[in-house]
Amino acid sequence: MLPDAIVTGLRYWSRYISRFGIAHGLLLAIARGGEDGRKREGRDWEKAGETMAVALLAGVNATRLPPELCDCIIDYLWDDTPSLAACALTCRAFLPRTRTHTLSSITLVNTAGFTRFERLLKRDSHIAVYVRRLAIVKTSGNHATRPSRVDREWPLLLRTLPRVEDLTLERWMPGEMRDNVAQRLYLHLSRSAIRTLRLVDIHHWKGTDLPRLLCACLRLRELHLNEVRWESCPDKEMFSRSFDMMPPALADIVPETTIEIDRMEMCEGHPCVVAWLLHGPFNIRLRQLRLGFWFYLGVRMGDKHKLLETAGASLQSLVLSFKNLRRSSLRDPNFEKHFALSNNCYLTSLHLHLAFDSWVASDSIECALGCVNLIVRKISPTHQSLQELRISIQMYGASDDGYALGESDVWKYMDEALALFARGRSPLKVALDICDEYHQEPDNADCGSLGKRTAERVVGYLPKLCAERLCLCVSWGRRWSPDAEFGGRLVGERLERILDLPYDTQQV
């Protein structure tokens, strides 16, 4: 954070900048960046102090500012695209630093955007070194099911982007690649600096393209697989055998060095994909793991729980996500077996995220709390390193009184499970996030009032937990971002209530 005197002076300076030949937009951007963390909206830019005016009268010119200070100021604007553009047009000295932020992440969603970026690289090849994250994201809808030039030729971009560390492929059709392009892709990946790979909603793999893609990323440390299916895999049982006994097509792609993966997200993984990760050339020593189970697809629990077992004592942060969980799933005797945490004795953080669509919202609270009850009771006293438990419930369709939280009887069993879990653990933080994403918000809705009533009701439903010694955080909001942090969190306008317990619930 810049000192207040400098921020105030820069705001004042922007009024007189035209007299000295410096772009007004730059100083306006500087002031906005310097006040990052304070009020970001409704500011009066014409009110300012005289600190920088005194410096100007003393003959201080903006071109004499130390380069380190200019870089620091520009770094404050990392998420303010208009201000970064103003900085880039000010002078050549500001251009490299602004490009570090404006070009660090490139997302291509269609053929037109792909063509424009391709022409930009040909016109100025120097910008390639600034790209750290590349995302090929085909928009959803009818066009996403049609092959395009992006599906066939995006791998050719990697040879001109040597510093890409984060690669995202969403709704890509790898079957549209020509064989020579595929070979170039694997070659470029093996030479690349990619440490994070995200594959989302990809089904049409040819032969061994999926394992080749994973094995080519030799520096891979973080892997995200969301609804990735490997239908062309002949038999997942072949992966349990040694590499020498595998078909030559698979044995030949195994790299000489083991690929170390310490962070993984997997949602609705195909059995063959899970088997390849478990028996392929990967060292699954995970520090962070997120497993997602989408029950509206009608799929079974599958083999994803084996990743939890393989992670063992190295696992520190675990996120379990359930979407549209059904009562029948909770009654399944295998449900509890999938979430035995006995091998993960050094867990420090556990996040249970439960999301429901409106069409199953009638009994969603009961399913969510029942799931929490089952999993929390699986936590044994040996998990002494566990210091944070977060429970997130994401639903649609709020009631008039703020939120359809159900009756107190529904919360009773979870309250008992949480109190038993919290007993004897210190320090401990229990966080409960309530996300209400219903889209028909009344014009007179008071978010603060609704959130406050929700927090009061939640605390009232947990009397046994409130009698234990811990920190309880209850948050309420309308927007959930899965990418805000590992496992997701509430973003935007929200109400947060933090209580240091034991607490007299009559005072809430």
Side-chain angles (χ1 to χ4, degrees), residues 17-281:
I17 232 50
S18 59
R19 304 179 187 178
F20 297 90
I22 307 297
H24 178 276
L26 169 66
L27 277 306
L28 184 62
I30 290 175
R32 295 182 67 183
E35 288 193 317
D36 187 31
R38 304 190 187 110
K39 297 179 180 178
R40 294 290 301 232
E41 298 179 358
R43 280 177 258 174
D44 183 3
W45 299 105
E46 297 303 324
K47 295 180 180 179
E50 300 179 356
T51 306
M52 191 57 70
V54 173
L56 283 175
L57 294 175
V60 178
N61 194 293
T63 58
R64 297 181 184 177
L65 289 175
E68 296 82 2
L69 178 58
C70 294
D71 290 347
C72 180
I73 293 172
I74 293 173
D75 287 344
Y76 274 100
L77 308 177
W78 64 273
D79 62 343
D80 192 337
T81 303
S83 298
L84 287 172
C87 291
L89 296 174
T90 300
C91 64
R92 292 184 179 180
F94 296 140
L95 190 57
R97 199 64 174 188
T98 56
R99 281 181 168 179
T100 301
H101 300 290
T102 56
L103 297 175
S104 62
S105 180
I106 300 296
T107 301
L108 306 176
V109 298
N110 51 37
T111 304
F114 177 82
T115 303
R116 285 195 300 268
F117 185 64
E118 190 178 42
R119 291 174 180 173
L120 183 62
L121 286 173
K122 291 180 179 179
R123 188 162 58 245
D124 186 0
S125 59
H126 295 90
I127 67 174
V129 298
Y130 296 102
V131 181
R132 294 290 190 271
R133 181 180 182 273
L134 176 64
I136 309 296
V137 181
K138 295 183 65 176
T139 55
S140 59
N142 294 333
H143 295 288
T145 60
R146 302 175 186 173
S148 66
R149 179 172 173 242
V150 180
D151 295 308
R152 296 187 294 269
E153 300 184 13
W154 77 262
L156 301 178
L157 282 178
L158 285 182
R159 63 182 178 183
T160 59
L161 303 173
R163 298 190 180 181
V164 171
E165 300 176 352
D166 189 321
L167 177 62
T168 299
L169 304 175
E170 185 170 346
R171 302 186 188 92
W172 172 44
M173 295 184 178
E176 297 299 319
M177 278 195 310
R178 298 189 297 272
D179 292 339
N180 62 330
V181 175
Q183 294 300 324
R184 291 184 188 180
L185 171 62
Y186 307 139
L187 178 61
H188 296 325
L189 287 174
S190 63
R191 299 174 178 176
S192 69
I194 293 176
R195 299 176 61 86
T196 302
L197 177 64
R198 295 179 174 88
L199 304 179
V200 181
D201 197 8
I202 303 178
H203 305 159
H204 307 288
W205 300 95
K206 288 192 306 183
T208 59
D209 280 349
L210 175 59
R212 284 181 180 273
L213 180 69
L214 297 178
C215 290
C217 302
L218 300 179
R219 297 174 178 83
L220 189 64
R221 292 296 179 269
E222 182 176 341
L223 180 61
H224 301 247
L225 300 174
N226 189 346
E227 296 188 41
V228 176
R229 296 183 177 275
W230 186 15
E231 302 292 355
S232 60
C233 173
D235 182 13
K236 72 173 184 177
E237 297 299 330
M238 73 174 69
F239 301 137
S240 61
R241 303 189 289 269
S242 65
F243 295 136
D244 296 335
M245 299 177 61
M246 287 186 183
L250 286 176
D252 293 344
I253 68 176
V254 176
E256 296 180 357
T257 59
T258 302
I259 300 176
E260 304 278 346
I261 300 180
D262 57 21
R263 182 171 175 172
M264 180 183 294
E265 290 192 17
M266 174 168 285
C267 299
E268 287 312 312
H270 192 270
C272 288
V273 178
V274 178
W276 178 248
L277 291 174
L278 292 173
H279 302 290

